[in-house]
Amino acid sequence: MVGQSPLDPSESRTAVLLEPFVHQVGGHMSMMKYDEHTICKPLVSQELSFYESLPLAMRQFTPQYKGIVSVHLKKDSLGNLTLIASPSLQTESCGRLDNAIGDSSVTIWHKCKWAASTGTGSEHTLVKWSHTQLTKTFKDSCPGKMLLRTDLQYGTDSLLEDANRNQPERNSYNPWGLHCHRQHLNRMSSKHNENKLHQFLLLENVVSKYNYPCILDLKMGTRQHGDDASEEKKARHIKKCEQSTSASLGVRICGMQVYQADTGHFLCKDKYYGRKLSPEGFRQTLRQFLCNGNHLRTDLLEPIILRLKALLSVIRKQSSYRFYSSSLLIIYDGQEHKENTAPLDNHLHFQKTNCTASHGTNHSRVDVRMIDFAHTTFKGSKCNHTTYDGPDHGYIFGLENLIKILQNISEGK
């Protein structure tokens, strides 16, 4: 095991059956839930290099790195695919894993059943979870997860939106993580080999403390392609930046879920929605992220702005770092304190949603975290890349514009 082990040595025989991380709102790589406080994702050497060399000042703005785990793909007699994580890494054989699954140290079995549903036009996949009790009762500590876990359906570009760009209540779940998981399993199963072990990074689950995690995934910077990108990929990413707010603002929306107190569901947006936004559309969607369906959460603005300013100060001091294609998460809990819910007369109208501004006296708990460092470069990195001087000005440009927009919202502009 590299780094901090998430399991006690006495539990080395435990095999963990991974499940999709239901609060993944952006990205393309499948994030899996390892345990309540830990997620894992396929290991990319450049990202591992970043976490192993992480500057002390940046640690409060990134997930805690917990080590590496081996993951084994298994297919049952019905064709269901599962991913099994083994903390004892390369020495595990398939037989040993099968024995470990039957061991009393394994408390919960999470099984993913994939069923194709017939849809008009584009392909749809219906995903359902079943939980089998093994040694103790399974308790989900996050009520918000139950809103996302059952009857999740994924469409294509028009993700969860009708012809008028509205999102019907019956479809207001966030299926993005399950979409990524489906694609990941399809890729792995196409070259199915039960003897092959895949290495995954273990990272802190930064939303585990929230009951109803509201998450905004922002692709930061004016450039998204890494130094290792082919000419074709480079041209594709440059075009995406030019046609979106990445070029004009240095930031674009890559995904979002925000809890709506009036309906009891999450309002979701995906990366395709974010790519089409104008600078004004970006501003309105940022407002929407802070609206719970009843009022604007103005109590969140000051703590978010302060956290972003602190991050900006740190990034300005990181010479040689280039955070190409990385994302920034802004997180808060959709379950607010009662003192923050008193409505005032200031109404903001956007995207057919009326929200009344609410000014709370206590700051709600918020978080800001940088994620996805597969294309991050820095002096001393083990990966071959260009060495840059000075801080990442594209990233700084995006942070500065993000702060300005939030300040304007705070001032009622």
Side-chain angles (χ1 to χ4, degrees), residues 61-74:
F61 296 107
T62 59
Q64 179 193 358
Y65 165 59
K66 297 187 175 186
I68 299 171
V69 70
S70 279
V71 174
H72 149 82
L73 180 70
K74 185 165 182 63

Side-chain angles (χ1 to χ4, degrees), residues 49 74 77 96 108 150 203 259 289 379:
S49 178
K74 185 165 182 63
S77 59
R96 176 75 178 277
I108 300 298
T150 58
L203 298 169
Y259 181 67
F289 173 65
K379 187 177 181 180

